[in-house]
Amino acid sequence: MTEANPTHFDPSHTAFIETISLTKKFPMVLALDQVNFEVKKGEIHCLLGENGAGKTTLAECLYGYYRPSSGLIKWKGKAVEIPSPSVAMRLGIGMVHQHFMLVEPHTVLENIILGLDTPGIMLDTRSTRKRILELCEIYNVSLNLDAYVWQLSVGEQQWVEILKALYEGAELLILDEPTAVLTPQESERLFGVLKQMSLSGLSIIFITHKLNEVIAVSDRVTVLRKGRVINTVNTAEVTKADLAKMMVGREVVFRVSREEVQAGEVLLEVEDLRACNDLGLECIHGLNLKLHAREILGIAGVAGNGQKELFETLIGVRKPSSGHIRLLKEEITHQSAGMIYDKGMAHIPSNRIKEGLILDFTVAENLILGREWKLPFSSRFQLNKRAIRDFAQRNIKDFDIVTPAVDHPTGKLSGGNLQKVILAREIGSQPHVLIANQPCRGLDVGVIEYVHTQLLKLREEGVGILLFSEDLDEILTLSDRIAVIYQGEIVGLFRTKDVHLETIGLLMAGGKD
């Protein structure tokens, strides 16, 4: 096989990149099964599917990260082998991974040129800087090229990855779940820039499981399910319901039914709470909240208004400056995270990979994390492996966790199954209060429906749930009451059935009700 000759490429007749019967096998897993897929010159083509459907595996075969087990890849009409990312980049294929590949102690400029072939001994940073700034101007990106990556927001880090691919001369840009770490405003801006890029001739593969994004940004969409292509359609000719059915193989309920129930006693009380951020600046200012049994209280707000610090303070990993936190009328303000967990406050962190799980541990080990030294999982400082295995098998079945075995490494599960492991563990602790921070971030519609159903079931059983979410639809769907947070203060508190979306939006932006 040889690399394609660009002079022989006719975009009006030939797919820009194409796979023919592409198959990828891993031990015990058929990740891709005879996949036929093509992207045209200058189009935005969405790869849609549930977590674990094979979207990222297909992209990483195109990028040279994986070698296909069988099948063919054509680039500009000619069959090619792509044994490594460096070969992909030389062809003109760039990829921005869901988990960024940046070196945090290096600057933006250094990260963009890192790993590139440069002529001569000395690096010409002047011309490099000029070219990067030109790209920033074309796409209206504001970045300090001398800032260290660790100083950047997540959205800014993503732009570093995109600029790196463009600087390398990418003609096809693969974006793997690019909005998973972005605010709605950042996502809207990204969509606008991607459309600008496609109009200039850049081809884009946009990997997602979010139906709204498919409708908003793509020209065509290919739906994968369990490693197989279900269909490729023109986006303008299908509805969200059509795509959802193709994606999960059944009708999907976009809004689960929330029955009205009578709230019970106060389970969690927060009084005049103050806390500082990582820079030592106060970011929670005299905050007051009450959470009742059989209630979901939604915390609505734009990212960066103190949600992270409030969540960490409540679960005991950030110490408050002053104020009181009471669980079942008991003061827990200065208790450790372990003690608070033992008293019945479970939590779902926003970052399941860094904060919720130990990826090198098995599924069984993660399911008992935090309770490994308690009965029935251990006795006399020895783990009871049979009890752990039985508990894991029961939870894998009850929570529909797709894994080959209980001792399978957790890091090899899809994002939806990772979240189910956390959900099973936290619900299994039989909490009085569950604090859920972005519990559906990065999940597909099928898993979102499942998580929502589980949360409402907990509510009916008498658990109080404090729900942090930047998705207003999720807040409105699940919450009995909504508290709006702005700059570390609760600026509005409403019963969901009595409030208008415009009111919440105004308060989130710092306006007055």
Side-chain angles (χ1 to χ4, degrees):
M1 295 184 184
T2 58
E3 294 185 10
N5 184 344
T7 59
H8 295 156
F9 176 65
D10 182 354
S12 64
H13 295 93
T14 311
F16 201 54
I17 195 167
E18 182 180 11
T19 70
I20 301 171
S21 298
L22 197 74
T23 298
K24 178 60 182 175
K25 297 176 181 177
F26 296 102
M28 298 186 291
V29 177
L30 179 60
L32 297 174
D33 185 7
Q34 302 285 316
V35 169
N36 295 311
F37 172 69
E38 66 167 26
V39 178
K40 298 176 182 178
K41 174 77 172 175
E43 79 165 335
I44 301 177
H45 196 125
C46 271
L47 265 179
L48 176 69
E50 294 182 276
N51 296 111
K55 308 184 297 296
T56 298
T57 302
L58 174 56
E60 290 181 334
C61 286
L62 299 178
Y63 189 59
Y65 188 79
Y66 291 134
R67 285 198 176 202
S69 303
S70 62
L72 197 65
I73 299 175
K74 285 188 173 183
W75 173 250
K76 298 182 180 179
K78 289 195 173 183
V80 294
E81 287 185 352
I82 309 177
S84 67
S86 60
V87 172
M89 288 187 283
R90 285 200 295 273
L91 285 171
I93 302 170
M95 183 170 178
V96 177
H97 298 262
Q98 184 176 357
H99 307 295
F100 304 145
M101 303 293 186
L102 301 173
V103 183
E104 293 194 350
H106 286 192
T107 66
V108 171
L109 178 66
E110 290 167 346
N111 268 277
I112 290 174
I113 62 177
L114 197 63
L116 298 181
D117 293 329
T118 53
I121 300 173
M122 300 296 291
L123 184 63
D124 183 8
T125 56
R126 180 176 295 180
S127 61
T128 300
R129 183 182 293 270
K130 181 181 177 183
R131 174 58 183 151
I132 296 171
L133 289 173
E134 287 173 354
L135 288 170
C136 288
E137 185 174 350
I138 291 171
Y139 298 113
N140 194 26
V141 177
S142 178
L143 277 177
N144 177 4
L145 301 190
D146 297 312
Y148 295 102
V149 165
W150 63 265
Q151 296 174 312
L152 305 181
S153 69
V154 177
E156 289 171 327
Q157 290 181 27
Q158 187 176 78
W159 278 111
V160 177
E161 291 271 29
I162 293 173
L163 288 169
K164 181 177 177 68
L166 296 175
Y167 181 80
E168 291 167 353
E171 298 176 75
L172 170 69
L173 182 62
I174 304 171
L175 300 172
D176 189 2
E177 302 282 3
T179 64
V181 295
L182 301 182
T183 65
Q185 295 90 338
E186 289 172 327
S187 297
E188 286 288 331
R189 181 166 172 268
L190 175 64
F191 296 161
V193 174
L194 293 182
K195 289 177 180 178
Q196 181 186 349
M197 290 175 175
S198 69
L199 289 173
S200 68
L202 188 71
S203 299
I204 298 167
I205 297 176
F206 189 101
I207 300 174
T208 186
H209 53 253
K210 298 179 181 178
L211 301 176
N212 288 335
E213 294 180 356
V214 176
I215 300 297
V217 77
S218 68
D219 301 301
R220 289 194 300 157
V221 53
T222 293
V223 181
L224 289 177
R225 187 166 77 236
K226 296 182 179 178
R228 305 193 72 177
V229 172
I230 301 302
N231 205 353
T232 296
V233 294
N234 295 320
T235 308
E237 297 172 0
V238 292
T239 65
K240 283 174 57 177
D242 296 331
L243 292 172
K245 189 172 183 179
M246 282 188 263
M247 188 168 138
V248 302
R250 60 176 174 82
E251 300 289 346
V252 174
V253 177
F254 290 100
R255 284 204 172 212
V256 294
S257 176
R258 177 173 57 85
E259 301 294 333
E260 292 292 332
V261 296
Q262 185 65 41
E265 64 177 321
V266 174
L267 298 178
L268 176 68
E269 184 177 8
V270 180
E271 181 182 347
D272 197 25
L273 188 69
R274 297 178 183 273
C276 296
N277 60 21
D278 294 338
L279 298 176
L281 303 174
E282 186 173 279
C283 60
I284 303 295
H285 312 291
L287 188 140
N288 295 282
L289 274 180
K290 286 184 180 179
L291 173 69
H292 298 79
R294 296 190 299 277
E295 174 186 49
I296 297 179
L297 174 57
I299 306 293
V302 177
N305 275 279
Q307 296 98 315
K308 172 180 177 287
E309 291 81 5
L310 176 58
F311 173 81
E312 292 176 352
T313 304
L314 293 177
I315 68 172
V317 299
R318 182 181 296 271
K319 297 305 177 186
S321 310
S322 63
H324 301 276
I325 305 170
R326 301 184 186 96
L327 179 64
L328 299 178
K329 300 182 180 178
E330 179 185 348
E331 187 83 22
I332 61 167
T333 311
H334 298 289
Q335 293 185 5
S336 68
M339 292 175 69
I340 292 172
Y341 186 77
D342 288 343
K343 291 180 186 298
M345 186 189 289
H347 64 273
I348 299 173
S350 61
N351 190 322
R352 67 183 72 95
I353 290 175
K354 289 186 177 180
E355 299 167 358
L357 299 161
I358 300 177
L359 298 186
D360 292 335
F361 280 18
T362 66
V363 173
E365 289 167 341
N366 271 291
L367 281 168
I368 66 164
L369 207 60
R371 291 182 287 156
E372 63 271 18
W373 297 118
K374 297 182 175 66
L375 290 172
F377 307 125
S378 69
S379 176
R380 297 181 180 179
F381 303 104
Q382 286 190 330
L383 292 174
N384 185 337
K385 293 184 179 180
R386 174 171 291 184
I388 294 170
R389 176 174 287 272
D390 290 346
F391 177 80
Q393 288 175 335
R394 189 165 60 251
N395 277 272
I396 286 168
K397 180 182 178 182
D398 290 348
F399 287 84
D400 194 26
I401 300 168
V402 180
T403 177
V406 297
D407 54 2
H408 191 66
T410 304
K412 295 187 180 295
L413 300 185
S414 69
N417 286 301
L418 293 177
Q419 194 71 343
K420 285 182 179 181
V421 171
I422 295 174
L423 201 63
R425 183 185 67 217
E426 300 305 304
I427 291 176
S429 70
Q430 297 181 320
H432 300 294
V433 169
L434 175 67
I435 303 184
N437 193 2
Q438 318 299 331
C440 295
R441 177 181 281 171
L443 302 182
D444 60 63
V445 287
V447 182
I448 289 172
E449 179 191 42
Y450 181 84
V451 172
H452 286 183
T453 301
Q454 291 296 321
L455 293 179
L456 288 171
K457 182 181 176 184
L458 270 183
R459 163 184 173 263
E460 290 172 8
E461 293 171 354
V463 177
I465 300 171
L466 192 62
L467 172 66
F468 292 80
S469 179
E470 291 159 21
D471 184 338
L472 269 182
D473 283 339
E474 182 170 59
I475 290 280
L476 291 166
T477 297
L478 296 178
S479 303
D480 299 287
R481 292 188 300 147
I482 299 173
V484 182
I485 189 170
Y486 178 73
Q487 293 186 351
E489 298 182 54
I490 299 300
V491 293
L493 182 62
F494 311 92
R495 288 190 303 174
T496 304
K497 63 182 181 180
D498 297 333
V499 70
H500 294 289
L501 183 62
E502 293 79 5
T503 302
I504 297 174
L506 180 66
L507 290 169
M508 286 171 60
K512 301 294 184 183
D513 181 19

